């Protein structure tokens, strides 16, 4: 079994799941069917990027999510002015 990867979120070390079963288990129930579909449809040349995407989704980073929300709001405001 693969050892979990480690990262820091909010100054705390957290495990990042890096196997298909562990990623699936870390996701909210409502996202698991979409994860299963993405993994099952990924070709050999895509599987690494698909897994990386879902690994990051399985370990949410509130600071990154706040930044993305602010960027989206700024973009929406910019578009409404233009």
């Amino acid at each position: 079994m693969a050892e979990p990867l480690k990262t820091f979120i909010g100054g705390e070390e957290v495990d990042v799941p890096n196997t298909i079963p562990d990623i699936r288990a870390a996701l909210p129930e409502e996202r698991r069917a979409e994860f299963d579909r993405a993994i099952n449809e990924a070709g050999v040349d895509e599987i690494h990027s698909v897994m990386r995407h879902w690994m990051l989704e399985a370990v949410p980073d509130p600071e990154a999510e706040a930044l993305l929300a602010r960027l989206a709001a700024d973009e929406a405001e910019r578009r409404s002015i233009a």
Side-chain angles (χ1 to χ4, degrees):
M1 183 169 176
E3 289 292 319
L5 303 174
K6 306 276 186 189
T7 192
F8 287 89
I9 296 177
E12 292 186 36
E13 187 177 59
V14 296
D15 290 342
V16 178
N18 65 346
T19 65
I20 291 171
D22 289 345
I23 295 168
R24 188 177 194 287
L27 291 169
E29 183 71 35
E30 64 272 8
R31 300 291 286 146
R32 292 178 183 167
E34 187 176 347
F35 169 74
D36 291 342
R37 240 183 336 277
I39 288 296
N40 290 327
E41 292 174 359
V44 70
D45 58 332
E46 303 168 309
I47 194 69
H48 289 105
S49 64
V50 171
M51 285 188 66
R52 277 191 301 273
H53 166 84
W54 287 97
M55 286 167 63
L56 295 175
E57 186 165 329
V59 181
D61 181 345
E63 293 173 8
E65 290 173 14
L67 175 61
L68 291 174
R70 191 172 74 232
L71 291 171
D74 291 349
E75 179 64 15
E77 182 179 335
R78 185 186 67 76
R79 288 179 184 222
S80 69
I81 294 172

